[in-house]
Amino acid sequence: MTKRRVSLKDMAKELGVSISTVSRALKDHYDLSPEIIAKVKALAKEWNYAPNPFAMSLLKQQTKTIGVIVPDIVTHFYSSIISGIENKAGENGYYIIISSSQESHRKEKENLKNLLNLRVDGLIVCLSQDTMDFSHFESVLDSEIPLVFFDRVCRTEEFSSVVIDNVEAAKELTVHLFKNGSKKVAHIAGPPNLNITKERVEGYRKGLEECGLTFDPNLLIHCNLSIEEAAVATNKLLSLKNPPDAIFGVNDMVIFSAMKEIKKKKLKVPEDIALVGFTDEFHATVVEPNLTAVAHPTFEIGKEAARLLLNEINSPVKKTVQQVTMKAKLIERESSAKRGKQIS
Amino acid sequence: MTKRRVSLKDMAKELGVSISTVSRALKDHYDLSPEIIAKVKALAKEWNYAPNPFAMSLLKQQTKTIGVIVPDIVTHFYSSIISGIENKAGENGYYIIISSSQESHRKEKENLKNLLNLRVDGLIVCLSQDTMDFSHFESVLDSEIPLVFFDRVCRTEEFSSVVIDNVEAAKELTVHLFKNGSKKVAHIAGPPNLNITKERVEGYRKGLEECGLTFDPNLLIHCNLSIEEAAVATNKLLSLKNPPDAIFGVNDMVIFSAMKEIKKKKLKVPEDIALVGFTDEFHATVVEPNLTAVAHPTFEIGKEAARLLLNEINSPVKKTVQQVTMKAKLIERESSAKRGKQIS
DNA sequence: AAGGTTTGTGCAAAGCTTTGCGGAAATAAA
DNA sequence: TTTATTTCCGCAAAGCTTTGCACAAACCTT
């Protein structure tokens, strides 16, 4: 138990005036005598007064708090987005409360319930990997608390969301591989229920089509987004009788893992097999060879999600569902350099 | 403005009983009739009642909230520690509010003030890079709110802290380099004001001493923890007339940057120059060659800090300052392999 | 001097919960 | 029938802030 902070009451007692007078003095109410105002302010400063946020929340029925649910906070992709959210929220006097679903549907539901009970003013959510049933968001609709999804989304007619154009980006990536000499492009995809998986697979197939390559079901493997499963998938691909000459991975983890497995087999990237993926700016340049990748503007995604949410929170009208698509850019680096070209 | 949630009052009205009865029924008060209890509970469930946390905070004078201040949330080291904190806090029904100082003393002060005004029950802090003046923690002492530092600490007689044995680890790292053939070990250190810097420099010098190497001031460079400054430092070392054959970097950023610069110069790690540092498990294995490093048990550090804090929060006695030193282990990988030995 | 206006301040309610205490009704005992 | 005992439930205060309304005092006008 910690010490009680000073309240208006304490100051009123000290100065021999009423609580209301103190309250008003602090906000320069027009018809208080200047002396009183000065006295009150001086004492407030000396005693280091700050309004009790709980009393305020109770009164105002708003908490200046945003709840965030992400699959995990350790992955750079998410922490960077969180950073963007924090940035925007902070600018507007909002605090964020972060909770991670650890890619579990159960935990996601639990976190959602907790944040709702905490009376957050709004929510920003990225779905967990194994969320296939979206009924828990019904309660959000009921409560009329604004919610914005990002990256992994659902119920887009009911909730705003921030995404990148996955179809287009995946297509671009596939075409890029073809142009740089790959003829057998494999794709290690994510869990089939996620929108990002579906969209990227769609883009992959469109890309193949555009290049006149036929889709080979053996070259498309779904896995969850762990290092382990990605390693298994990679090895499966590499041991095909007709192995791929390029792999397009659905995200960071998958790419890292694939790269490790490829190196273990003494194969060279990109000479033997090119490698591309979706990732964030940071990691693409840490690994070697540097990764050709669709880089998410993570910080911006976070900021945008927060901006949308703040808009909805402060909007007088009922609902303003919006889908924002951010620009993701393909950055060509070493891992998919043209065959035969010397890598420096 | 969102919909009001149901309150005890609403339910009391609906059932035609008093608020107190509803409140007591929900906690199975002994002298209420079983029928009333059943009715209340049924309605509470149907209406999805949850106590208003602000009313509770007001009443109980505690918020079940922990404030966390870190230099940034994007770096894996910190996000992983945060993850540990969240884990432990969650288990005990506490929420965490995270704010980042962005390595700025000013922001750190501001965050501290905000969290104090928010009435958090406790604080977990890692100092910013340019915090040299620690007077802002006076207010924490005054408020009697428990605080635990980790990694970058100060005022250790007044606040508990969780650290690793930097001196010992740095010494070990230096000796390891010597044993594997390095004779001129350089150290890129952090800002001189940080305890981690001082301790690692001390360990470095002890290590040199133990190996019978004399300390060369040219081989010790201080820099802030950015990619850019680390690159400058690395180049300065490499262009000495008598350049080092090993670099010991104070943290991740420094190491990544140094590695890039070394590769740019077409030098080989570890053949031309060995590289070791302090980092987390994850990144050490992502870069190539894999990094020999003192790996922080980041998740555990977070859990331990939270554990200490929770102890203090729930302790009836006044103060129980504790210094916990976590085990950091040196993991030998490729970047410092014995000279001449083949790297697989 | 009496009524009207201005100026400065306090009361009280609302927002929500918990809990000590007191009170009413019902039952048991005398 | 009256008193004592249970059994069940409500009042009210505390925790803190804001704000509409009311009240009092001082001033001004006629």
Side-chain angles (χ1 to χ4, degrees):
Chain A
M1 200 46 150
T2 62
K3 217 160 61 175
R4 238 192 73 245
R5 294 275 304 249
V6 284
S7 67
L8 290 181
K9 201 191 215 172
D10 300 325
M11 297 201 290
K13 199 175 193 180
E14 171 78 10
L15 296 173
V17 296
S18 79
I19 293 173
S20 5
T21 301
V22 177
S23 172
R24 281 192 268 247
L26 254 17
K27 28 180 72 60
D28 286 312
H29 193 73
Y30 61 95
D31 60 22
L32 281 184
S33 68
E35 305 87 66
I36 278 269
I37 294 187
K39 267 205 306 187
V40 169
K41 285 193 170 175
L43 187 68
K45 183 145 198 184
E46 188 193 329
W47 282 8
N48 206 284
Y49 169 80
N52 185 309
F54 306 107
M56 295 296 278
S57 294
L58 212 50
L59 194 67
K60 295 280 170 63
Q61 296 286 78
Q62 53 163 335
T63 61
K64 292 283 178 184
T65 289
I66 293 174
V68 179
I69 305 178
V70 286
D72 76 86
I73 56 180
V74 176
T75 303
H76 185 262
F77 178 72
Y78 296 114
S79 57
S80 176
I81 286 176
I82 290 173
S83 186
I85 296 174
E86 194 215 14
N87 186 277
K88 194 77 186 176
E91 272 175 18
N92 290 274
Y94 279 75
Y95 292 90
I96 64 177
I97 296 194
I98 300 166
S99 59
S100 70
S101 64
Q102 279 138 237
E103 300 283 14
S104 135
H105 179 217
R106 191 186 53 70
K107 267 224 123 200
E108 180 179 293
K109 267 169 77 170
E110 212 174 287
N111 290 343
L112 188 68
K113 199 179 113 201
N114 285 337
L115 290 174
L116 249 25
N117 284 345
L118 257 189
R119 269 69 165 179
V120 293
D121 286 342
L123 287 159
I124 296 179
V125 178
C126 176
L127 293 173
S128 96
Q129 186 175 154
D130 61 42
T131 299
M132 317 196 150
D133 165 26
F134 309 123
S135 57
H136 46 309
F137 293 105
E138 205 62 50
S139 59
V140 179
L141 243 27
D142 287 347
S143 70
E144 292 173 21
I145 290 177
L147 181 152
V148 173
F149 283 111
F150 71 89
D151 200 48
R152 305 182 190 163
V153 307
C154 69
R155 290 174 166 250
T156 47
E157 336 73 45
E158 297 158 313
F159 299 107
S160 293
S161 59
V162 180
V163 294
I164 62 162
D165 188 341
N166 284 300
V167 178
E168 183 57 30
K171 196 180 85 179
E172 211 181 327
L173 220 36
T174 309
V175 171
H176 163 80
L177 285 169
F178 176 74
K179 281 191 181 152
N180 277 10
S182 298
K183 296 280 178 282
K184 289 171 293 182
V185 179
H187 179 32
I188 301 181
N193 55 302
L194 293 180
N195 65 301
I196 53 169
T197 300
K198 291 183 212 153
E199 292 163 10
R200 289 172 198 175
V201 168
E202 186 188 334
Y204 163 66
R205 297 192 62 161
K206 279 197 175 160
L208 292 181
E209 200 174 333
E210 190 166 317
C211 301
L213 298 175
T214 53
F215 169 67
D216 176 355
N218 291 318
L219 294 183
L220 172 62
I221 301 189
H222 286 274
C223 74
N224 74 27
L225 305 169
S226 69
I227 300 265
E228 295 76 24
E229 283 210 20
V232 171
T234 306
N235 285 318
K236 212 158 152 189
L237 287 172
L238 295 180
S239 58
L240 285 173
K241 47 188 171 299
N242 193 7
D245 56 8
I247 298 180
F248 155 27
V250 71
N251 79 348
D252 290 39
M253 277 301 147
V254 168
I255 295 281
F256 292 154
S257 186
M259 195 178 271
K260 269 188 195 165
E261 295 305 312
I262 290 171
K263 285 178 182 169
K264 264 192 209 160
K265 293 238 186 319
K266 310 278 185 216
L267 295 172
K268 285 226 180 291
V269 178
E271 289 82 352
D272 299 315
I273 187 158
L275 208 48
V276 301
F278 279 71
T279 177
D280 54 59
E281 301 264 6
F282 181 67
H283 284 114
T285 61
V286 165
V287 293
E288 186 163 347
N290 283 189
L291 205 66
T292 292
V294 172
H296 289 87
T298 46
F299 192 77
E300 304 304 322
I301 291 176
K303 274 178 78 168
E304 181 61 19
R307 199 187 60 78
L308 279 185
L309 186 71
L310 257 11
N311 263 358
E312 287 195 32
I313 289 177
N314 299 315
S315 152
V317 306
K318 258 295 172 262
K319 261 285 192 184
T320 48
V321 175
Q322 265 184 82
Q323 313 310 326
V324 174
T325 302
M326 305 287 288
K327 266 230 182 59
K329 56 177 184 303
L330 172 62
I331 305 178
E332 306 188 13
R333 297 199 187 83
E334 302 162 357
S335 73
S336 67
K338 241 193 171 68
R339 299 309 155 89
K341 186 177 151 193
Q342 202 57 257
I343 309 305
S344 68
Chain B
M1 198 49 148
T2 63
K3 218 160 60 176
R4 238 192 71 245
R5 294 274 304 250
V6 285
S7 68
L8 291 181
K9 200 192 215 171
D10 300 324
M11 298 202 289
K13 199 176 192 180
E14 171 78 10
L15 295 173
V17 295
S18 79
I19 294 174
S20 6
T21 301
V22 178
S23 171
R24 279 192 270 246
L26 255 16
K27 30 179 69 62
D28 287 311
H29 193 73
Y30 61 95
D31 61 21
L32 282 184
S33 70
E35 305 88 66
I36 277 271
I37 294 186
K39 269 206 304 190
V40 169
K41 284 192 169 176
L43 187 69
K45 185 148 198 184
E46 188 194 329
W47 283 8
N48 206 285
Y49 168 79
N52 185 307
F54 306 108
M56 296 295 279
S57 294
L58 211 51
L59 193 69
K60 294 282 172 62
Q61 296 287 78
Q62 54 164 336
T63 62
K64 293 281 176 187
T65 290
I66 294 174
V68 179
I69 305 177
V70 287
D72 76 86
I73 58 180
V74 177
T75 302
H76 185 264
F77 178 72
Y78 296 115
S79 56
S80 174
I81 287 176
I82 290 172
S83 186
I85 295 174
E86 195 215 13
N87 186 276
K88 194 75 186 178
E91 272 175 19
N92 290 275
Y94 279 75
Y95 293 90
I96 65 177
I97 295 192
I98 300 167
S99 59
S100 70
S101 64
Q102 278 137 238
E103 299 284 13
S104 133
H105 178 217
R106 192 186 53 71
K107 269 225 121 199
E108 180 178 295
K109 266 169 78 171
E110 212 174 289
N111 290 343
L112 189 67
K113 200 178 112 200
N114 285 338
L115 290 174
L116 249 24
N117 284 346
L118 258 188
R119 267 69 164 179
V120 294
D121 286 343
L123 287 159
I124 296 180
V125 178
C126 177
L127 293 173
S128 95
Q129 187 175 151
D130 61 42
T131 300
M132 316 194 151
D133 164 26
F134 310 122
S135 57
H136 46 311
F137 293 105
E138 204 63 51
S139 58
V140 179
L141 242 28
D142 287 347
S143 70
E144 292 174 20
I145 290 177
L147 182 152
V148 173
F149 284 111
F150 71 87
D151 200 47
R152 305 183 190 161
V153 307
C154 70
R155 289 176 167 248
T156 46
E157 337 71 45
E158 295 158 313
F159 299 107
S160 293
S161 58
V162 180
V163 294
I164 62 162
D165 189 339
N166 285 299
V167 177
E168 184 57 31
K171 195 181 86 180
E172 213 181 326
L173 221 35
T174 310
V175 171
H176 162 80
L177 286 169
F178 176 75
K179 280 190 182 154
N180 277 11
S182 298
K183 296 281 177 285
K184 288 171 292 179
V185 178
H187 179 32
I188 301 181
N193 54 303
L194 293 179
N195 65 300
I196 53 169
T197 301
K198 290 182 210 154
E199 291 162 10
R200 289 173 197 175
V201 168
E202 184 188 336
Y204 162 67
R205 298 192 61 162
K206 278 196 175 162
L208 292 180
E209 199 174 334
E210 191 166 315
C211 301
L213 299 175
T214 53
F215 168 68
D216 176 356
N218 290 319
L219 295 183
L220 171 62
I221 301 189
H222 285 275
C223 73
N224 75 27
L225 305 169
S226 69
I227 300 265
E228 296 75 24
E229 283 211 19
V232 172
T234 306
N235 286 318
K236 212 158 152 189
L237 287 173
L238 295 181
S239 59
L240 285 174
K241 48 187 171 296
N242 193 8
D245 56 8
I247 299 179
F248 155 28
V250 72
N251 79 347
D252 289 40
M253 278 299 146
V254 168
I255 295 280
F256 292 155
S257 187
M259 195 178 272
K260 270 188 194 163
E261 295 306 311
I262 289 171
K263 286 178 183 169
K264 265 193 209 160
K265 292 240 184 324
K266 312 278 187 215
L267 295 173
K268 287 227 177 291
V269 178
E271 290 82 352
D272 299 315
I273 186 159
L275 207 49
V276 300
F278 278 71
T279 178
D280 53 61
E281 301 264 7
F282 181 67
H283 284 114
T285 62
V286 165
V287 293
E288 184 163 348
N290 284 190
L291 204 66
T292 293
V294 172
H296 290 89
T298 46
F299 192 77
E300 303 304 322
I301 291 175
K303 275 178 76 168
E304 181 61 18
R307 198 188 61 78
L308 279 187
L309 186 69
L310 257 11
N311 263 358
E312 287 195 31
I313 289 176
N314 299 314
S315 150
V317 306
K318 258 295 171 264
K319 262 287 194 184
T320 47
V321 176
Q322 264 183 82
Q323 313 309 327
V324 173
T325 302
M326 305 286 288
K327 267 231 180 58
K329 57 178 181 301
L330 173 63
I331 304 178
E332 306 188 14
R333 298 199 186 83
E334 303 161 357
S335 73
S336 66
K338 241 194 170 67
R339 300 307 156 89
K341 186 177 153 193
Q342 203 56 257
I343 310 306
S344 69

